[in-house]
Amino acid sequence: MGETPRDYATGIFGTLHGRLGALAAGVDFRSVYYQDILKPNQETVWAKVNSATKLHYDDLRRFLLFGFGDAAGLENRKEIDGSVYELAQAAIARQLLGVYRNAPGSAVVFLAQSLGCQVLSSYMYDAQKALAGLPVLAGIWKDVDAWSLRTLGHRLTADERRFLAGASCTAFVTTGCNIPIFVAAHRTMDIKPIARPTPGFEWINIYDPDDALGWPLQPLSPEYAALVDDRAINAGQGMVNWILKSWNPMSHTAYWGDAQVIAVVEQMLEQAVG
């Protein structure tokens, strides 16, 4: 969410690789990037507004413009072909297909931050509906065969389709998750999470109570309460980080450097590889 560099996951991947030791050879670390779909328009808006009137709090304004611009862009007219919603889902599918082609029997561990939690949850929810033969109104799963023919040049096999739908996902770790913002307008009966994709599946949702963009998920509905393990932490430990981040909303950017988050992801990967 916001101005995200293409190498945003390099740090946590490097840390996990080192901690896993010999097991790291069995992990295919991949990141999904869709900021390039959204950033050009956001930069245009920023340039127009900022050149017309000198604004204060540039960093905060850019965060709000790029961050909430991402959220709005992903939801705007998402049902049309070629929407940002569809393109973001395609970015996820391409990375999963790359994993499948290298190692078809792989267990998948998803790690998502901020808006990425909503994007990935929606992707899996749509995929599960499609595999169940239910209508999907937006994204690649509206007609995954048409999407694969158009973008990949071939139809997906049944096994590829299941893998791309997250059917071998064993864990989902979310940090700074803002799914509640997206479901706040829904009736309680309509607030439902993804189905458990594998028998031992774990969804661990890590949030900092000081992070206004990170929320618990269990209170949303009985289904979320049964599926998700909410864990509150103080993101950004260490004296400097404590002063700058741990007590205020900037903790939203501190999760992936936090020892507790690293330990959870490491455990999920060890279980998946083992």
Side-chain angles (χ1 to χ4, degrees), residues 108 110 124 128 131 162-163 165-172 193-203 227:
V108 174
F110 286 124
M124 292 182 68
Q128 290 177 345
L131 288 191
R162 284 192 293 272
F163 192 86
S168 62
C169 176
T170 59
F172 189 9
I194 61 172
R196 195 180 298 274
T198 52
F201 173 80
E202 294 182 72
W203 183 341
L227 180 65

Side-chain angles (χ1 to χ4, degrees), residues 46-56 58 61:
W46 173 258
K48 287 181 177 179
V49 175
N50 198 42
S51 63
T53 306
K54 182 58 181 175
L55 301 172
H56 299 162
D58 281 10
R61 286 182 181 274

Side-chain angles (χ1 to χ4, degrees), residues 167-202:
S168 62
C169 176
T170 59
F172 189 9
V173 180
T174 49
T175 58
C177 179
N178 34 60
I179 286 176
I181 295 173
F182 289 87
V183 302
H186 296 185
R187 297 175 301 172
T188 301
M189 67 183 69
D190 295 326
I191 300 177
K192 296 180 180 179
I194 61 172
R196 195 180 298 274
T198 52
F201 173 80
E202 294 182 72

Side-chain angles (χ1 to χ4, degrees), residues 48-86:
K48 287 181 177 179
V49 175
N50 198 42
S51 63
T53 306
K54 182 58 181 175
L55 301 172
H56 299 162
Y57 309 109
D58 281 10
D59 289 344
L60 177 58
R61 286 182 181 274
R62 283 183 69 90
F63 175 78
L64 292 173
L65 174 65
F66 283 74
F68 289 95
D70 287 352
L74 285 160
E75 292 296 314
N76 181 46
R77 302 181 67 195
K78 65 181 182 181
E79 71 283 352
I80 68 172
D81 291 339
S83 66
V84 172
Y85 185 88
E86 179 184 303

